Amino acid sequence: MDQYNKNPHQLQIRAEDIKVRGFEIGTAFATGLGVIGASVGFKLTWGPIAWGMIFAFIGLFIGFGAVCLNRLRKGERPITRSPRRPQPEIVVIVYCSEEKSAEVRNIFWAYRAISVGDVPEPASL
């Protein structure tokens, strides 16, 4: 099995993945602060809906900003897969002709497979 693709840039987590993580944490903060804002909003002049939305936007920015600042503070680069980081593993066996095997290998590498192997077809009996 080939452990890594020849192109090292393909193994890095893309910038979209980092932004998605920041958005997920931001929405968690938005939910929590939105509930708090709606609760406080019953006593304020604009009402619970307006204050819930205001607090939700604040929570979104706090969560996304926290992820970005944390990555800047640590000086992290995009995370690459390494043998020290355990990854969930799934084995996929594709039976195809030898002409298609190169195309199948490229598809697996494009979707960031951890390893891709190739077994020649056994001799017929």
Side-chain angles (χ1 to χ4, degrees), residues 36-114:
I36 292 171
S39 300
V40 172
F42 280 106
K43 295 188 178 196
L44 299 175
T45 58
W46 289 354
I49 295 176
W51 284 107
M53 294 296 290
I54 291 169
F55 273 63
F57 282 119
I58 291 170
L60 181 69
F61 291 122
I62 288 173
F64 189 79
V67 170
C68 292
L69 288 176
N70 190 29
R71 292 190 61 77
L72 284 175
R73 183 179 58 87
K74 289 183 178 180
E76 291 181 8
R77 293 182 181 173
I79 302 167
T80 58
R81 292 187 181 137
S82 70
R84 289 172 284 168
R85 286 181 179 230
Q87 296 284 332
E89 295 185 17
I90 298 173
V91 176
V92 178
I93 299 173
V94 178
Y95 182 74
C96 64
S97 63
E98 287 191 39
E99 296 83 31
K100 294 283 186 180
S101 67
E103 184 178 346
V104 171
R105 287 175 70 90
N106 290 335
I107 290 171
F108 277 118
W109 286 128
Y111 283 94
R112 300 186 311 219
I114 295 173

Side-chain angles (χ1 to χ4, degrees), residues 4-23:
Y4 298 104
N5 192 4
K6 308 300 184 252
N7 184 0
H9 300 291
Q10 202 168 17
L11 293 174
Q12 293 178 347
I13 292 180
R14 296 182 183 130
E16 301 102 38
D17 295 340
I18 295 166
K19 291 177 184 175
V20 166
R21 186 180 308 139
F23 183 74

